[in-house]
Amino acid sequence: MAQIAFILLCHKDPEAIVQQARQLTAVGDCISIHFDARARAADYDLIRAELAGNDNVTFAKTRVRCGWGEWSLVQATLHAIEAALAAFPRATHFYMLSGDCMAIKSAAYAHRFLDADDVDYIESFDFYDSDWIKTGIKEERLIYRHFFNERTQKDRFYRSLRLQRRLGLRRRVPPDIAVQIGSQWWCLRRRTVEEVVAFTRARRDVVRFFRRTWIPDETFFQTLVRHLIPEREIRSRTPTFLMFTDYGMPVTFYNDHYDLLLSQDFLFARKISPEAKELKRRLGRLYASGREEFRVSDEGRKLFAFLTGRGRVGRRFAPRFWETDNLLGRERELLIVACKKWHVAKRLVGAIRHHTDIPALDYVFNEESAPLPDLGGIQTTIAKRHRHRRALMRMLFDYFDSDRLIICLDTGSLDLVSDFYADRPTVRLLEVECEFTDTYLADHARRVGLAGGETSDETLRQLLPTIRYDVAGESDRLRDAHLANHSRIREGAAPEANAGTLARFLTVPPDVALRLAETPNLFAD
């Protein structure tokens, strides 16, 4: 059975470190602690005194002064690993943690998870081809030597970088290694860790190279594991759940995130707020609880992106250069049916195709599988349709040899609606207002990945008001845009009332409009 040796890098809050070590070792796992040499000596002495009688705790023999983005973090990790290898000969896995990490599964679950597959868990993507680095310098991390810390010595950091560029002081990456990048929170097998340590002793050239790279804790272990271990024995993922904001800052978890954290497909989470006392208490008891079953829905990242993205309505200030010659023409009429319930709009459009000769299409900009004619490849993907939206619409008008065309759009597609209104054709917008039950909204959350099959009822209860508010907000934004020729039909309205609106929208006789309004099960879910 797996026995984990935790590699803990920490620099503050000694009482919390003591508590963390006791919780993790209570069920037989081990921990090797590196406490930053920059921290107060009294704090380090407290940790050593409190854990002195615990045989499952060891300390790095050498402490280094750590700085974010520096080699010192890798060196501290290596010191803690070497101490763990010597102190815990029965440890099968080595798991990298920080003082802000806490278990979100039990030890029983974690051991079973690691026993199930003889692999290493470490994020590792090709440094050059991946888009793992979102902001800041990329290749410059490797090809120039970094002597200063960008956070504490910003001016010197960038002056040194500019000087090396000007003098052409590029350096070569060791030719036999392919640099990888990924999260520094990993879990490696004992054999892998032993090979990494042996490699660092045999290949001082590689160590020298990484000593002067920027943020090497995101590249050093990731590169060496890929270099030493067959690909089939590596899972390119971190077993620690962490998220980042749009500004590259780690998302912090609080007391009300307990159920969300437990439902993620990870063993630990980072980072837990120091103020989240109740969350820490509950997670602290969890690791030794013996609990083996967890309902994993894994919706955390999508849910975070959804909640933080509300209100960020895309606005375009000028036509894209490839669209300047793609105007649709003043003589044409584009009819847009906007509805959040796609099946309702599709029923209505299907009835329009049956009762009129107006060409009508489904959600061509929202649904990859929406039926479209072959237009030379421009229609093949959602991305292409959006990128060449006006060219696509012009080709559809030409394909159907018609000056009138109907398309469906999701009510959240205000950018598309606004773009078409800014063009030359006459545009009419029919908004189909539907009623939304809690059951429908819960199913919608599952369809779009905000919730999974195992998402708890409590999480859904917290999520539903936000989704309901979001759906209402999309309709409000359409109204606030004050678009011309904007009309609405409503689920609760009489067919005769909806028929009048449909007659004006489609310019069809009243009897045809009434047949459309009376479409069987038009609003049924």
Side-chain angles (χ1 to χ4, degrees), residues 198-229:
F199 185 89
T200 63
R201 293 168 180 164
R203 292 291 303 273
R204 304 309 297 176
D205 61 316
V206 174
V207 173
R208 282 194 299 272
F209 172 80
F210 279 104
R211 277 184 181 276
R212 292 302 176 196
T213 61
W214 179 235
I215 321 183
D217 53 316
E218 293 179 351
T219 53
F220 181 76
F221 290 99
Q222 296 77 0
T223 300
L224 265 57
V225 170
R226 282 281 177 188
H227 183 73
L228 297 167
I229 304 301

Short mmCIF file of all heavy atoms in Angstrom, two decimals, residues 198-229:
data_model
loop_
_atom_site.label_atom_id
_atom_site.label_comp_id
_atom_site.label_asym_id
_atom_site.label_seq_id
_atom_site.Cartn_x
_atom_site.Cartn_y
_atom_site.Cartn_z
N ALA A 198 19.81 11.46 -8.40
CA ALA A 198 21.04 10.94 -9.01
C ALA A 198 21.43 11.76 -10.24
O ALA A 198 22.62 12.02 -10.48
CB ALA A 198 20.85 9.47 -9.37
N PHE A 199 20.45 12.17 -11.02
CA PHE A 199 20.71 12.96 -12.22
C PHE A 199 21.33 14.31 -11.85
O PHE A 199 22.26 14.79 -12.52
CB PHE A 199 19.41 13.17 -13.00
CG PHE A 199 19.58 13.88 -14.31
CD1 PHE A 199 19.85 13.19 -15.47
CD2 PHE A 199 19.48 15.27 -14.37
CE1 PHE A 199 20.01 13.86 -16.68
CE2 PHE A 199 19.63 15.95 -15.57
CZ PHE A 199 19.90 15.23 -16.72
N THR A 200 20.83 14.94 -10.78
CA THR A 200 21.36 16.24 -10.39
C THR A 200 22.82 16.13 -9.97
O THR A 200 23.59 17.09 -10.13
CB THR A 200 20.55 16.85 -9.24
OG1 THR A 200 20.64 16.01 -8.08
CG2 THR A 200 19.09 17.02 -9.63
N ARG A 201 23.22 14.98 -9.44
CA ARG A 201 24.61 14.80 -9.03
C ARG A 201 25.51 14.48 -10.21
O ARG A 201 26.69 14.86 -10.23
CB ARG A 201 24.69 13.69 -7.98
CG ARG A 201 24.02 14.07 -6.66
CD ARG A 201 23.85 12.89 -5.73
NE ARG A 201 23.22 13.29 -4.47
CZ ARG A 201 22.68 12.44 -3.61
NH1 ARG A 201 22.71 11.13 -3.85
NH2 ARG A 201 22.13 12.89 -2.50
N ALA A 202 24.95 13.81 -11.21
CA ALA A 202 25.75 13.41 -12.37
C ALA A 202 25.83 14.51 -13.43
O ALA A 202 26.83 14.60 -14.15
CB ALA A 202 25.18 12.14 -12.99
N ARG A 203 24.79 15.33 -13.53
CA ARG A 203 24.73 16.33 -14.60
C ARG A 203 24.75 17.74 -14.02
O ARG A 203 23.73 18.43 -13.97
CB ARG A 203 23.47 16.11 -15.45
CG ARG A 203 23.48 14.84 -16.26
CD ARG A 203 24.51 14.90 -17.38
NE ARG A 203 24.30 16.04 -18.26
CZ ARG A 203 23.50 16.02 -19.33
NH1 ARG A 203 22.84 14.91 -19.64
NH2 ARG A 203 23.36 17.09 -20.08
N ARG A 204 25.91 18.16 -13.57
CA ARG A 204 26.02 19.49 -12.98
C ARG A 204 25.78 20.57 -14.03
O ARG A 204 25.40 21.70 -13.70
CB ARG A 204 27.41 19.67 -12.36
CG ARG A 204 27.80 18.62 -11.32
CD ARG A 204 26.74 18.44 -10.25
NE ARG A 204 26.53 19.66 -9.46
CZ ARG A 204 25.61 19.78 -8.52
NH1 ARG A 204 24.78 18.77 -8.27
NH2 ARG A 204 25.47 20.90 -7.84
N ASP A 205 25.99 20.25 -15.33
CA ASP A 205 25.74 21.24 -16.37
C ASP A 205 24.26 21.61 -16.44
O ASP A 205 23.92 22.78 -16.63
CB ASP A 205 26.23 20.72 -17.72
CG ASP A 205 25.50 19.44 -18.14
OD1 ASP A 205 25.34 18.53 -17.27
OD2 ASP A 205 25.11 19.33 -19.31
N VAL A 206 23.39 20.60 -16.28
CA VAL A 206 21.96 20.87 -16.30
C VAL A 206 21.55 21.69 -15.09
O VAL A 206 20.76 22.63 -15.18
CB VAL A 206 21.17 19.55 -16.38
CG1 VAL A 206 19.67 19.81 -16.26
CG2 VAL A 206 21.48 18.81 -17.67
N VAL A 207 22.10 21.34 -13.92
CA VAL A 207 21.80 22.10 -12.71
C VAL A 207 22.26 23.55 -12.86
O VAL A 207 21.53 24.49 -12.51
CB VAL A 207 22.45 21.44 -11.48
CG1 VAL A 207 22.29 22.32 -10.25
CG2 VAL A 207 21.86 20.06 -11.24
N ARG A 208 23.45 23.77 -13.41
CA ARG A 208 23.95 25.13 -13.61
C ARG A 208 23.03 25.91 -14.54
O ARG A 208 22.78 27.11 -14.34
CB ARG A 208 25.37 25.10 -14.19
CG ARG A 208 26.45 24.80 -13.17
CD ARG A 208 27.84 25.12 -13.73
NE ARG A 208 28.15 24.33 -14.91
CZ ARG A 208 28.71 23.13 -14.87
NH1 ARG A 208 29.02 22.57 -13.70
NH2 ARG A 208 28.97 22.47 -15.99
N PHE A 209 22.54 25.23 -15.56
CA PHE A 209 21.62 25.89 -16.49
C PHE A 209 20.37 26.37 -15.77
O PHE A 209 19.96 27.54 -15.90
CB PHE A 209 21.26 24.94 -17.63
CG PHE A 209 20.17 25.46 -18.53
CD1 PHE A 209 20.45 26.39 -19.52
CD2 PHE A 209 18.85 25.03 -18.38
CE1 PHE A 209 19.45 26.89 -20.34
CE2 PHE A 209 17.84 25.52 -19.20
CZ PHE A 209 18.14 26.45 -20.18
N PHE A 210 19.74 25.49 -14.99
CA PHE A 210 18.49 25.86 -14.34
C PHE A 210 18.70 26.85 -13.19
O PHE A 210 17.77 27.57 -12.82
CB PHE A 210 17.77 24.61 -13.84
CG PHE A 210 16.99 23.90 -14.91
CD1 PHE A 210 17.47 22.73 -15.49
CD2 PHE A 210 15.78 24.41 -15.36
CE1 PHE A 210 16.76 22.08 -16.48
CE2 PHE A 210 15.06 23.77 -16.36
CZ PHE A 210 15.56 22.60 -16.92
N ARG A 211 19.91 26.90 -12.63
CA ARG A 211 20.18 27.87 -11.56
C ARG A 211 19.94 29.30 -12.03
O ARG A 211 19.59 30.16 -11.22
CB ARG A 211 21.63 27.73 -11.09
CG ARG A 211 21.87 26.63 -10.08
CD ARG A 211 23.33 26.65 -9.62
NE ARG A 211 23.60 25.59 -8.69
CZ ARG A 211 23.36 25.66 -7.38
NH1 ARG A 211 22.84 26.76 -6.86
NH2 ARG A 211 23.64 24.64 -6.59
N ARG A 212 20.16 29.57 -13.30
CA ARG A 212 20.02 30.93 -13.81
C ARG A 212 18.80 31.11 -14.70
O ARG A 212 18.72 32.08 -15.45
CB ARG A 212 21.29 31.34 -14.56
CG ARG A 212 22.52 31.49 -13.67
CD ARG A 212 22.28 32.50 -12.57
NE ARG A 212 23.41 32.59 -11.64
CZ ARG A 212 23.32 33.16 -10.45
NH1 ARG A 212 22.17 33.68 -10.05
NH2 ARG A 212 24.38 33.21 -9.65
N THR A 213 17.87 30.15 -14.66
CA THR A 213 16.60 30.38 -15.37
C THR A 213 15.64 31.11 -14.43
O THR A 213 15.84 31.15 -13.21
CB THR A 213 15.97 29.05 -15.83
OG1 THR A 213 15.69 28.24 -14.69
CG2 THR A 213 16.86 28.32 -16.78
N TRP A 214 14.60 31.69 -15.00
CA TRP A 214 13.60 32.40 -14.21
C TRP A 214 12.42 31.46 -13.95
O TRP A 214 11.91 30.81 -14.86
CB TRP A 214 13.16 33.66 -14.95
CG TRP A 214 12.11 34.48 -14.26
CD1 TRP A 214 10.90 34.86 -14.75
CD2 TRP A 214 12.17 35.01 -12.92
NE1 TRP A 214 10.21 35.60 -13.83
CE2 TRP A 214 10.97 35.71 -12.69
CE3 TRP A 214 13.14 34.95 -11.90
CZ2 TRP A 214 10.71 36.36 -11.49
CZ3 TRP A 214 12.87 35.59 -10.70
CH2 TRP A 214 11.67 36.28 -10.49
N ILE A 215 11.99 31.37 -12.70
CA ILE A 215 10.92 30.51 -12.21
C ILE A 215 11.23 29.03 -12.53
O ILE A 215 10.44 28.34 -13.18
CB ILE A 215 9.55 30.91 -12.76
CG1 ILE A 215 9.39 32.42 -12.81
CG2 ILE A 215 8.43 30.31 -11.89
CD1 ILE A 215 8.03 32.91 -13.29
N PRO A 216 12.36 28.51 -12.10
CA PRO A 216 12.73 27.13 -12.44
C PRO A 216 11.88 26.07 -11.75
O PRO A 216 11.88 24.92 -12.19
CB PRO A 216 14.19 27.03 -11.97
CG PRO A 216 14.32 28.04 -10.88
CD PRO A 216 13.42 29.17 -11.30
N ASP A 217 11.13 26.43 -10.69
CA ASP A 217 10.27 25.42 -10.06
C ASP A 217 9.13 25.01 -10.99
O ASP A 217 8.47 23.99 -10.74
CB ASP A 217 9.72 25.92 -8.73
CG ASP A 217 9.03 27.27 -8.83
OD1 ASP A 217 9.58 28.16 -9.50
OD2 ASP A 217 7.95 27.45 -8.23
N GLU A 218 8.91 25.75 -12.09
CA GLU A 218 7.89 25.37 -13.07
C GLU A 218 8.50 24.60 -14.24
O GLU A 218 7.76 24.20 -15.15
CB GLU A 218 7.17 26.63 -13.59
CG GLU A 218 6.33 27.32 -12.54
CD GLU A 218 5.64 28.57 -13.07
OE1 GLU A 218 5.96 28.99 -14.21
OE2 GLU A 218 4.80 29.14 -12.35
N THR A 219 9.83 24.42 -14.24
CA THR A 219 10.47 23.74 -15.38
C THR A 219 11.43 22.62 -14.97
O THR A 219 11.61 21.66 -15.72
CB THR A 219 11.25 24.75 -16.24
OG1 THR A 219 12.15 25.49 -15.40
CG2 THR A 219 10.31 25.72 -16.94
N PHE A 220 12.07 22.72 -13.80
CA PHE A 220 13.16 21.80 -13.45
C PHE A 220 12.67 20.37 -13.30
O PHE A 220 13.09 19.47 -14.05
CB PHE A 220 13.83 22.27 -12.15
CG PHE A 220 14.98 21.40 -11.72
CD1 PHE A 220 16.21 21.47 -12.35
CD2 PHE A 220 14.84 20.49 -10.68
CE1 PHE A 220 17.27 20.66 -11.96
CE2 PHE A 220 15.88 19.68 -10.28
CZ PHE A 220 17.10 19.77 -10.91
N PHE A 221 11.79 20.09 -12.35
CA PHE A 221 11.31 18.73 -12.14
C PHE A 221 10.50 18.26 -13.33
O PHE A 221 10.55 17.08 -13.73
CB PHE A 221 10.48 18.65 -10.86
CG PHE A 221 11.30 18.81 -9.61
CD1 PHE A 221 11.36 20.03 -8.95
CD2 PHE A 221 12.03 17.74 -9.09
CE1 PHE A 221 12.13 20.18 -7.80
CE2 PHE A 221 12.79 17.88 -7.94
CZ PHE A 221 12.85 19.12 -7.30
N GLN A 222 9.73 19.17 -13.94
CA GLN A 222 8.91 18.81 -15.09
C GLN A 222 9.78 18.30 -16.24
O GLN A 222 9.44 17.31 -16.92
CB GLN A 222 8.11 20.04 -15.54
CG GLN A 222 7.10 20.54 -14.52
CD GLN A 222 7.72 21.34 -13.38
OE1 GLN A 222 8.93 21.54 -13.32
NE2 GLN A 222 6.88 21.80 -12.47
N THR A 223 10.92 18.96 -16.45
CA THR A 223 11.84 18.56 -17.53
C THR A 223 12.55 17.25 -17.20
O THR A 223 12.64 16.34 -18.04
CB THR A 223 12.87 19.67 -17.77
OG1 THR A 223 12.19 20.88 -18.14
CG2 THR A 223 13.85 19.28 -18.86
N LEU A 224 13.05 17.13 -15.98
CA LEU A 224 13.83 15.94 -15.61
C LEU A 224 12.98 14.69 -15.59
O LEU A 224 13.43 13.61 -16.02
CB LEU A 224 14.52 16.16 -14.25
CG LEU A 224 15.97 16.67 -14.34
CD1 LEU A 224 16.04 17.99 -15.11
CD2 LEU A 224 16.58 16.82 -12.96
N VAL A 225 11.75 14.80 -15.11
CA VAL A 225 10.89 13.62 -15.08
C VAL A 225 10.61 13.13 -16.50
O VAL A 225 10.69 11.93 -16.79
CB VAL A 225 9.57 13.93 -14.33
CG1 VAL A 225 8.58 12.77 -14.49
CG2 VAL A 225 9.85 14.16 -12.84
N ARG A 226 10.31 14.05 -17.41
CA ARG A 226 10.09 13.66 -18.81
C ARG A 226 11.36 13.07 -19.43
O ARG A 226 11.29 12.19 -20.28
CB ARG A 226 9.65 14.87 -19.63
CG ARG A 226 8.19 15.25 -19.45
CD ARG A 226 7.29 14.36 -20.25
NE ARG A 226 5.89 14.70 -20.02
CZ ARG A 226 4.87 14.00 -20.46
NH1 ARG A 226 5.09 12.89 -21.16
NH2 ARG A 226 3.65 14.35 -20.22
N HIS A 227 12.52 13.57 -19.01
CA HIS A 227 13.79 13.09 -19.55
C HIS A 227 14.10 11.68 -19.06
O HIS A 227 14.69 10.87 -19.79
CB HIS A 227 14.90 14.05 -19.13
CG HIS A 227 16.25 13.71 -19.68
ND1 HIS A 227 16.60 13.90 -21.00
CD2 HIS A 227 17.35 13.16 -19.08
CE1 HIS A 227 17.85 13.50 -21.18
NE2 HIS A 227 18.33 13.04 -20.05
N LEU A 228 13.70 11.37 -17.82
CA LEU A 228 14.13 10.12 -17.19
C LEU A 228 13.09 9.02 -17.22
O LEU A 228 13.44 7.84 -17.15
CB LEU A 228 14.50 10.41 -15.72
CG LEU A 228 15.68 11.36 -15.49
CD1 LEU A 228 15.73 11.79 -14.04
CD2 LEU A 228 16.99 10.69 -15.91
N ILE A 229 11.81 9.37 -17.32
CA ILE A 229 10.73 8.40 -17.15
C ILE A 229 9.98 8.21 -18.46
O ILE A 229 9.68 9.20 -19.15
CB ILE A 229 9.77 8.86 -16.04
CG1 ILE A 229 10.53 9.09 -14.73
CG2 ILE A 229 8.64 7.86 -15.82
CD1 ILE A 229 11.26 7.88 -14.19
#
